[in-house]
Amino acid sequence: MIKFSCEKVFLQNAIAVTSRAVAQKSSIPALEGLLIHADQQLTISGYNMQTGIRTNVFANVVEGGNIVLNARLFGDIIRRMPDDMITFTADEKMMVHVSCGDADFDILGLSAADYPDLPEVEDEYAVSMQQKVLRSMIEEVAFAVSTNESRPVHTGALFEIADMSLSMVAVDGFRLAFRREKLEKLEGGAFSFVCPGSALSEVKSICGDTEDLVTVTLGKRHVLLEIGDTQLICRRLEGEFLDYKNAIPRKNPIQIVAETKALIESIDRVSVVISDKLKSPVRCLFDHDKVMLSAKTGNGEAKDVCRVSGDGDKLEIGFNNRYLMEALRYAPADKVKIELNSPGIRALLRCPEMQAVLKDRADTVKDRCGDGYESYVAPTRAVTVVETASRKAYDDNSANNTLLKAVSGSRSGATVHEHKRRLKDGRVITVRSYQRKK
C-alpha cells in the first residue's frame, strides 16, 4: 500500500526530469516506466541501463512502498491534472488511483521487484562547480561530440581535472571543442574521465542558470552528478581519447580581428547557394582589412565581403560553412582575433574570453579560459596541398609540373586550382586545391 499527496508542479517537474532516462523500448517492461519510491520522502527514478536519473520530491507520505508506472502515461495524466494538490494511492494488486480536484484516474502499475537497481558510485574523486558554469561548458563543447559508434570513446566528452581547473574536450573526427574553467572545490587530487554525450545533454537540461553547486563524483565504472535534489548516474566510456593538446597551433604570423556577428552573417549569405545535394566549401580570402567570401555550386555563385582589422596577406582557405558558423556561434564574444599561418595549418581565433581554431583540411577545436575557446573546421569537398620551396624551386617548371600531375593523378576527375605567393622571408608557397566533380 502506498499513499502520498503532492503539489502538481513538484510532481510534474520530477516526472519530466526522470523521464529523460527512461528506455523508449526495452525487453524489460519496467525500464519503460518510472520507479516511485515512498518512504521518509518521495523519490522518482528513471533508468535505461546506461543513464539513470533519480530525484527527490517534496510530498506528504502517509504510507510507504514501491511501484513502477508507465512513464508516458503517468506523465500525461499529471500534466492534464488541475493545478492543485494531487493524491496518489496504490494497493497490493498494483492498482493506482490518482486524483486532483474533480479529476480521477485508475491505472495499473508494475512490481518494483522487476526494476533494476541504479549503480552505486564509490566516492573516489569529487569536484564541485556552479551549475551555470557547467551548463555553459557543456553547451559550448557538446556540438563536437561524435555520433560515430566505431570510436565509442569519442561519443562522449573528456573531463580533465587538475590544478583547481576543469577542462572539457569533445571531438568527432571533423572538429574538436575545448573549454576550461576554474573549480569551486576539488577532492582526491587530479583525475580524468569520459562522460557520454547523451548524459551531458541531460545534465545541461537539469542544470539551471544559478550559482548553486553541482558535484561530480568519479567511481571505478560510473560517474555521479548531483544537482540539487537530482542525481544523474552514467557509465564511463573506456578507451584512449585523442591527444588534443597537440592540435592547437601556437605560432601564427598573420593576425586579423573580426566582428563575430558580421562574419557569421557574411558566411550565412554566401551559404545560400550551398545545399545537402550541392555542397561546396566557403572560400575565404584574407586580405588587407577585409575577408572576401565566396561559394559556387550548381545553384549559382555567391560572394560577400566582411570588413576586418589587419592584413591577411591574401591567404585563401576553404571551410565547411556549417562547421565555421557553429564555431563562431558558440563563441561567447563580440569580436574574434583570427591568427593564420598557411592553408594547410589550423587558424586560431582568439578574444579576451575565447579562442577558436579553424583548420583548412581537418576540422574543429574550442576553449574558453584565460586563454579562451578553440575550434578548427574543414571543407567538405576541397583538399589543399601546400608546398614550401626556395626561389629556385619556384622557377623550376618541371618540378612544379611533376607535383601537379601527382595531385591530379591521385584524384581523378577533380578540378585543380593553383595559387602561388612569395613570403617576406623569401620562401614561396604553392597552394594547389582540387574539388571533386559531381
Side-chain angles (χ1 to χ4, degrees):
M1 185 72 177
I2 305 173
K3 186 174 182 180
F4 66 83
S5 59
C6 177
E7 287 284 352
K8 175 195 170 180
V9 63
F10 297 148
L11 190 58
Q12 183 177 342
N13 290 341
I15 293 171
V17 169
T18 53
S19 292
R20 298 177 184 275
V22 171
Q24 298 300 312
K25 291 184 179 180
S26 174
S27 57
I28 305 174
L31 289 180
E32 297 179 20
L34 295 171
L35 174 64
I36 312 297
H37 173 73
D39 194 2
Q40 299 294 328
Q41 60 183 356
L42 179 64
T43 303
I44 301 178
S45 305
Y47 187 36
N48 59 18
M49 302 302 291
Q50 299 296 324
T51 302
I53 300 177
R54 177 170 53 210
T55 188
N56 298 324
V57 187
F58 181 76
N60 179 26
V61 179
V62 180
E63 294 186 50
N66 303 291
I67 195 169
V68 176
L69 297 178
N70 181 277
R72 183 192 61 78
L73 179 60
F74 189 41
D76 288 345
I77 289 173
I78 300 302
R79 188 167 60 253
R80 287 169 171 78
M81 286 287 194
D83 294 330
D84 204 346
M85 186 70 70
I86 292 176
T87 301
F88 180 105
T89 59
D91 59 23
E92 293 79 1
K93 296 181 179 180
M94 303 298 164
M95 184 58 67
V96 175
H97 179 76
V98 183
S99 63
C100 182
D102 295 329
D104 291 276
F105 288 88
D106 291 292
I107 59 175
L108 187 63
L110 298 174
S111 172
D114 299 329
Y115 201 89
D117 294 332
L118 269 67
E120 294 294 329
V121 179
E122 308 85 356
D123 191 2
E124 199 168 350
Y125 298 96
V127 61
S128 298
M129 63 192 312
Q130 294 179 4
Q131 291 186 30
K132 65 179 184 180
V133 173
L134 180 59
R135 181 180 179 178
S136 174
M137 292 184 73
I138 294 172
E139 186 176 43
E140 295 177 12
V141 168
F143 79 94
V145 171
S146 175
T147 56
N148 188 349
E149 295 293 339
S150 64
R151 292 292 303 275
V153 70
H154 288 156
T155 60
L158 173 67
F159 284 63
E160 281 190 342
I161 294 92
D163 301 325
M164 290 302 294
S165 67
L166 166 64
S167 298
M168 189 183 298
V169 186
V171 60
D172 66 358
F174 294 96
R175 36 197 186 164
L176 182 151
F178 171 85
R179 165 96 182 259
R180 183 184 295 119
E181 280 288 349
K182 299 294 183 181
L183 293 175
E184 298 288 335
K185 185 179 179 182
L186 176 61
E187 296 179 5
F191 63 98
S192 66
F193 62 91
V194 179
C195 184
S198 57
L200 290 178
S201 298
E202 307 307 341
V203 172
K204 188 184 84 168
S205 299
I206 297 170
C207 286
D209 188 17
T210 173
E211 295 183 358
D212 293 343
L213 295 183
V214 52
T215 301
V216 182
T217 303
L218 178 65
K220 292 181 179 179
R221 294 186 178 180
H222 294 86
V223 180
L224 168 65
L225 294 102
E226 297 177 89
I227 309 163
D229 291 325
T230 301
Q231 295 181 333
L232 184 144
I233 303 169
C234 63
R235 183 183 293 273
R236 295 171 54 183
L237 295 179
E238 303 295 337
E240 185 177 352
F241 203 85
L242 176 74
D243 181 11
Y244 68 92
K245 295 179 181 178
N246 291 326
I248 303 173
R250 301 300 179 190
K251 296 180 180 179
N252 305 289
I254 300 173
Q255 301 182 2
I256 64 173
V257 176
E259 295 281 348
T260 306
K261 184 179 178 181
L263 188 53
I264 290 174
E265 290 174 349
S266 290
I267 298 167
D268 191 44
R269 277 191 285 271
V270 298
S271 297
V272 171
V273 298
I274 302 172
S275 65
D276 291 337
K277 292 183 179 180
L278 298 173
K279 296 182 179 180
S280 171
V282 171
R283 306 303 300 183
C284 300
L285 178 60
F286 296 90
D287 205 347
H288 181 70
D289 288 342
K290 64 182 177 180
V291 178
M292 292 175 281
L293 302 97
S294 63
K296 186 175 182 180
T297 68
N299 289 328
E301 184 175 4
K303 296 180 180 179
D304 194 33
V305 176
C306 179
R307 300 296 170 182
V308 299
S309 300
D311 190 353
D313 202 17
K314 295 189 181 299
L315 182 64
E316 185 174 8
I317 307 179
F319 295 111
N320 177 295
N321 64 316
R322 182 171 63 87
Y323 292 164
L324 182 56
M325 280 197 290
E326 281 185 346
L328 291 168
R329 280 173 178 161
Y330 285 103
D334 295 331
K335 290 186 178 182
V336 291
K337 181 180 180 182
I338 306 173
E339 300 181 7
L340 304 165
N341 192 317
S342 68
I345 299 178
R346 289 170 290 278
L348 185 66
L349 277 69
R350 290 181 187 269
C351 72
E353 302 178 29
M354 83 71 133
Q355 295 177 350
V357 178
L358 303 174
K359 187 179 178 182
D360 172 52
R361 201 180 155 187
D363 313 299
T364 309
V365 185
K366 262 186 145 188
D367 159 56
R368 176 181 171 182
C369 186
D371 308 302
Y373 153 112
E374 303 173 349
S375 172
Y376 59 81
V377 186
T380 304
R381 288 179 174 268
V383 175
T384 303
V385 179
V386 180
E387 174 196 8
T388 303
S390 63
R391 284 192 177 90
K392 182 178 181 181
Y394 179 78
D395 296 326
D396 190 344
N397 293 328
S398 62
N400 285 329
N401 288 337
T402 301
L403 177 59
L404 183 58
K405 289 178 181 177
V407 173
S408 300
S410 63
R411 295 291 187 271
S412 179
T415 302
V416 180
H417 305 280
E418 179 174 309
H419 170 68
K420 298 186 182 74
R421 65 187 181 90
R422 179 174 280 112
L423 300 182
K424 294 178 181 179
D425 60 4
R427 291 183 303 152
V428 172
I429 290 182
T430 302
V431 179
R432 293 188 179 90
S433 64
Y434 70 85
Q435 186 167 355
R436 299 183 182 90
K437 295 180 179 178
K438 301 178 177 61

